Amino acid sequence: MAAEGCTALPWRDPDWPRAGLPCHSADDARSISAPDMNGLLRPAETEALLLSLEVALRSVLFSLPPAILIAWILARTRFPGRTLLDAFVHLPLVLPPVAVGYVLLLLLGSRGPLGRWLAGHFGMHLAFTTAGAALATAVMTFPLLVRAVRLSMEGVDPGLEEAARTLGAGRLDRFASITLPLVVPGILAGLVTAFAAGLGEFGAVITFAANIPGVSRTLPLALYTAMQSPAGDETALRLAVLSFALGFAGLLLAELLVRRLRHRREH
Amino acid sequence: MPAPAGLVVEVRKLRGAFALTAAFAAPAPSVVALFGRSGSGKSTLVNLIAGLLRPDAGCIRLGERTLCDTAAGIDVPVESRRIGYVFQDARLFPHLSVAANLRYGERRAPAPRAASRFEELIALLGLERLLSRLPHQLSGGERQRVALGRALLCQPHLLLLDEPLASLDAARREEVLPYLEALRNRLALPMIYVSHQFEEVLRLATHVVLLEEGHIRAHGSLESVSLDPALQAVLGPDLTGAVLEGVVGAVDAADGSAELRVGGGTLRVSLAGVGPGDRVRLQVLARDVILAVQPITGLSVRNALPGTVTAVADDAFGALVSLDVGGVTVLSRITRAAQRSLALRPGDAAWALFKAISTRGHAYRRP
């Protein structure tokens, strides 16, 4: 999967950072398993962890507003194309992440139509950057977020919105004062789940943002890189354990949040 | 019947297999009871008035304002109608405190809010101690009182109450009914009260619209509709009875009874908590009224009113006799056998006898 990611496209894209090719060199492996006497983690591991946290955080912040909008549309409106929209939103769940990354590269790479426009008008480059890694992660975790918010929204009694209407609240007002506060548990649970999933996004990130230390080498990419190096076994294990711990903590936190909030406003 | 500031409704609405056709008008500060069995279209009609449903055809006017007129393409959105709505299930916002729930509509009302109005209403509804609570910490009756306050604080021109007591048990109902009575007496606000409990209608309403299978079977003042066979068919033999309105005269507090001037005559009725001059409405159940064709003495019965038979109806439960006693009508239910032996006909003289304690009366407006 990753091998394809590093051979299929780069030569056609002038941005492809040849120096930081994901195709592992001995240098790569050495840098990632270089011993660090100061703490629990080695510098390269810390770097990957922090980068993963940054990418996941940026991805959920980026996708939250559209996720709420889409969730609201799916939960509260009826229109002919609704089923199509529903399916489209859930696509990343079933597509190979590499395919998603590839499509992003086609659209947002420096030769892609959107990429050229962004670069021309805003000087913005997404491919092979940390922002790009966050975007790829956002696309992959988007369905998780939409799902959580939508389920929560469907649990809000439409009668409450009607009541708000009779009290003089317009559509946006009702949404902001009634619906949104009532789906906060769902939003938080969705955020935590999407964040935890985002920490581990691999295929879309390596395809769209490559595997550049400090830029896009997140935990799973670092883990993969370590696995590919003869001396990386120990590092790979440490990173795997770290990933497990993070994911587990994230899911626990999401569950606790939902329970807490549900308990607080038990009806 | 339509007064300048009243409510005029004329709507048609098809919902699946159910068709509602309703046309009625109510004078300005009246309390109109929408009465009928479940599924008769009461809630549909209320939702049409609120604007939550849109009529297929027709118009709704409140005072000078046209809220909806399909022919003219007018449909004022719910949020601009200024119609308060108290739902059966209260629908308090679960994430907001009682105070925030109460203020929700007030904040969105266009008129400048008077601080005193909030305090006054809170006191009137007995909500002072509840302000900082969350809805799930309230009893059913308290919830409905908060919902009532919330609807009133948005300064509505009309208040809709859709079976606000239906989900409460008898004790909880008594937590709300007196407040509703107080509101009706204090505020000159037209209300539409949906119910299938005649007791509530009797205590609160001034007018009745009787709905059956999507059609209005009878409408008018409570007194006149109480004599309508369509209402009697819904109420059944146990609840049928003339509704009378009168003014309290002398009160015998020790006895728990009072004189009530009704039409041209005076009734002796069991009434507590009223004073001379109070307006009282009471129902004399038809099955409690005994008929005599000549004056009878030596009975414990406190009311023996001379009158004239105006109608004799033979229905599923026996004979129902209408008797004009001094300008008001009372109903008497007698068996067919009794009717055969008395052979009452319109125009005959007869006496209506009923006990003071067999009346159900409620003060409905202080002088």
Side-chain angles (χ1 to χ4, degrees), chain B residues 229 232-233 237 240 312-320 333-334 336:
Chain B
Q232 291 152 12
T240 291
V312 182
D314 194 57
D315 63 20
F317 313 107
L320 190 66
R333 161 89 52 208
I334 57 176
R336 288 197 187 88

Side-chain angles (χ1 to χ4, degrees), chain A residues 67-102:
Chain A
I68 292 176
L69 179 71
I70 299 282
W72 181 82
I73 290 173
L74 290 175
R76 282 287 188 267
T77 62
R78 295 283 172 271
F79 60 96
R82 194 172 151 275
T83 316
L84 276 179
L85 177 67
D86 196 8
F88 183 74
V89 166
H90 285 89
L91 265 185
L93 282 183
V94 295
L95 283 179
V98 177
V100 174
Y102 181 67

Side-chain angles (χ1 to χ4, degrees), chain B residues 115-128:
Chain B
S116 66
R117 194 179 152 80
F118 184 82
E119 306 301 331
E120 186 192 322
L121 200 65
I122 298 315
L124 194 60
L125 289 168
L127 299 174
E128 301 95 333

